Amino acid sequence: MQVNSSSATTKPAPPASFWDDLPRPMMLLAPMANVTDTAFRQIIARCGRPDLMMTEFTSCEGLCSRGRERLLAELTYHESERPLVVQYFGPRPEPFFQCAQLARQLGFDGIDINTGCPDRRVLRQGAGAALIGDPARMREIYAAAREGAGGLPVSIKTRLGIRSDILEEWLAVLLDLRPAAITLHARTVRELSNTAAHWDAVARAVRQARGSGVPIIGNGDVRDPAHGRELAAQTGADGVMLGRAIFGNPWLFNPTVSKQDLGLERVLDTMLEHAALFDRLLGDVRPFVEMRRHFKAYLAGFPNTRALRVALMECADLAAAQAIVARHRAFAEAAVGRAS
């Protein structure tokens, strides 16, 4: 389909949803702007899919404006990506209501509310992690999203706080909303990703949520699924979300495949497949140069690829990328011939 608190523990558990059927500990792919678009998610689904994927975070205000058509491209997906949750951000309840209805119309499996983005442009809107400082507005936004979602489960992604760790106070607010799940990026906004993630805080969240029926998912500095399972065992988390580790490695969630063992040629084939998907699905609304960050990441870890990497950092379209890789392969074959 192509767009198709203490009081918390006394309330009934959230309604049943696909979240209940995911394995424990569940392994999730983090939503990353200009990275985890449908082209990359489809490649990941083919190479080694996680238990759950989320879209790039998408602006509710934008979807309710004249820029709607371009943003709708960010909500494109393929059936192979399921279960798939759309992640929204914004400062006002009414657009969340409308966008939750849109999520139902497009056939998403769930909705996630971003209350953790530290980007200054998002914070200035009163969106993302700014909602940590405004519990009353967060309640209104969640209520609006839940109403618009109908039967779709609504989850929340957040941080420890803005300037300091206020986990217990903030988590009490979120647990009282009875979301389908809470993902905790174990840093404050001030810390960005410049300090080690505080996984002891994930353990605190798990203890606070005990008896609520709300799954707690930890996020931050997870190297691979094996490391994620260790962290889940240490903290009691119901799941782990992996983000930066997926760069250049769509096989990350595949227990039987290692990127390095595949060899450079197989990785280049997948890289070009990714680029072709991006060009076909998003080329009308996104610049091809966004693929450059992926090119660099795909080549990471392979020796003698500097010239190839430098050339790919200059390419502006799919044809150029394909030609650069073809020249690299021809040069490598000629070198092997000379050596023999």
Side-chain angles (χ1 to χ4, degrees), residues 303-319:
N304 305 317
T305 57
R306 183 179 182 278
L308 174 59
R309 184 175 65 253
V310 169
L312 287 169
M313 289 302 98
E314 298 297 323
C315 76
D317 55 41
L318 176 62

Side-chain angles (χ1 to χ4, degrees), residues 20-36:
D20 300 323
D21 298 326
L22 297 179
R24 300 297 194 266
M26 62 186 92
M27 295 289 144
L28 284 65
L29 176 66
M32 291 178 283
N34 299 322
V35 176
T36 53

Side-chain angles (χ1 to χ4, degrees), residues 36-45 53-55 76 81 84:
T36 53
D37 52 51
T38 186
F40 195 27
R41 294 195 307 266
Q42 288 183 45
I43 292 294
I44 293 167
M53 292 194 273
M54 293 189 182
T55 68
T76 299
E81 301 171 38
L84 181 65

Side-chain angles (χ1 to χ4, degrees), residues 102-215:
L102 176 65
R104 277 195 294 156
Q105 294 166 11
L106 297 180
F108 284 99
D109 297 298
I111 297 164
D112 190 74
I113 299 175
N114 182 306
T115 71
C117 179
D119 186 275
R120 290 181 180 178
R121 292 166 297 181
V122 173
L123 296 176
R124 282 197 294 268
Q125 298 175 31
L131 292 173
I132 298 174
D134 196 343
R137 190 152 49 91
M138 177 59 197
R139 293 187 185 97
E140 293 174 356
I141 283 173
Y142 181 83
R146 185 69 176 269
E147 182 181 358
L152 289 184
V154 180
S155 55
I156 298 169
K157 188 173 188 288
T158 194
R159 285 185 177 243
L160 300 178
I162 298 177
R163 286 170 290 277
S164 61
D165 181 342
I166 59 165
L167 174 63
E168 280 74 15
E169 175 186 347
W170 175 235
L171 190 61
V173 173
L174 299 186
L175 288 172
D176 196 52
L177 299 176
R178 318 304 298 144
I182 295 173
T183 300
L184 178 64
H185 184 142
R187 296 181 177 96
T188 64
V189 172
R190 174 176 285 177
E191 290 173 319
L192 297 174
S193 293
N194 298 327
T195 64
H198 307 290
W199 277 83
D200 59 310
V202 176
R204 286 160 46 205
V206 169
R207 290 193 294 270
Q208 187 172 347
R210 189 168 293 138
S212 69
V214 179

Side-chain angles (χ1 to χ4, degrees), residues 12-304:
S17 71
F18 73 88
W19 287 94
D20 300 323
D21 298 326
L22 297 179
R24 300 297 194 266
M26 62 186 92
M27 295 289 144
L28 284 65
L29 176 66
M32 291 178 283
N34 299 322
V35 176
T36 53
D37 52 51
T38 186
F40 195 27
R41 294 195 307 266
Q42 288 183 45
I43 292 294
I44 293 167
R46 297 175 194 179
C47 293
R49 60 164 302 112
D51 298 313
L52 174 67
M53 292 194 273
M54 293 189 182
T55 68
E56 303 167 274
F57 80 144
T58 305
S59 168
C60 289
E61 298 289 326
L63 284 170
C64 296
S65 73
R66 287 180 294 181
R68 171 187 175 92
E69 291 307 313
R70 181 189 177 281
L71 285 177
L72 278 174
E74 297 185 3
L75 302 187
T76 299
Y77 67 90
H78 186 271
E79 288 294 324
S80 64
E81 301 171 38
R82 292 190 186 278
L84 181 65
V85 168
V86 59
Q87 192 188 68
Y88 289 138
F89 74 95
R92 298 187 300 129
E94 178 58 28
F96 265 95
F97 172 78
Q98 295 179 37
C99 290
Q101 291 183 316
L102 176 65
R104 277 195 294 156
Q105 294 166 11
L106 297 180
F108 284 99
D109 297 298
I111 297 164
D112 190 74
I113 299 175
N114 182 306
T115 71
C117 179
D119 186 275
R120 290 181 180 178
R121 292 166 297 181
V122 173
L123 296 176
R124 282 197 294 268
Q125 298 175 31
L131 292 173
I132 298 174
D134 196 343
R137 190 152 49 91
M138 177 59 197
R139 293 187 185 97
E140 293 174 356
I141 283 173
Y142 181 83
R146 185 69 176 269
E147 182 181 358
L152 289 184
V154 180
S155 55
I156 298 169
K157 188 173 188 288
T158 194
R159 285 185 177 243
L160 300 178
I162 298 177
R163 286 170 290 277
S164 61
D165 181 342
I166 59 165
L167 174 63
E168 280 74 15
E169 175 186 347
W170 175 235
L171 190 61
V173 173
L174 299 186
L175 288 172
D176 196 52
L177 299 176
R178 318 304 298 144
I182 295 173
T183 300
L184 178 64
H185 184 142
R187 296 181 177 96
T188 64
V189 172
R190 174 176 285 177
E191 290 173 319
L192 297 174
S193 293
N194 298 327
T195 64
H198 307 290
W199 277 83
D200 59 310
V202 176
R204 286 160 46 205
V206 169
R207 290 193 294 270
Q208 187 172 347
R210 189 168 293 138
S212 69
V214 179
I216 299 295
I217 299 150
N219 175 223
D221 294 340
V222 187
R223 297 188 298 270
D224 53 45
H227 183 218
R229 285 188 287 273
E230 291 176 10
L231 292 169
Q234 293 168 13
T235 61
D238 297 280
V240 170
M241 180 175 280
L242 292 84
R244 288 176 292 176
I246 198 72
F247 275 82
N249 187 10
W251 304 273
L252 179 68
F253 293 98
N254 190 327
T256 65
V257 175
S258 163
K259 172 185 171 180
Q260 298 306 126
D261 291 342
L262 289 171
L264 178 60
E265 290 308 308
R266 173 76 179 278
V267 170
L268 288 176
D269 286 341
T270 301
M271 182 188 79
L272 290 179
E273 181 183 3
H274 179 178
L277 263 179
F278 180 92
D279 186 64
R280 177 167 63 86
L281 299 175
L282 298 168
D284 291 339
V285 293
R286 304 269 283 268
F288 187 81
V289 294
E290 287 185 15
M291 281 299 305
R292 291 176 182 175
R293 72 185 70 190
H294 292 288
F295 294 156
K296 182 178 180 181
Y298 274 111
L299 295 177
F302 289 106
N304 305 317

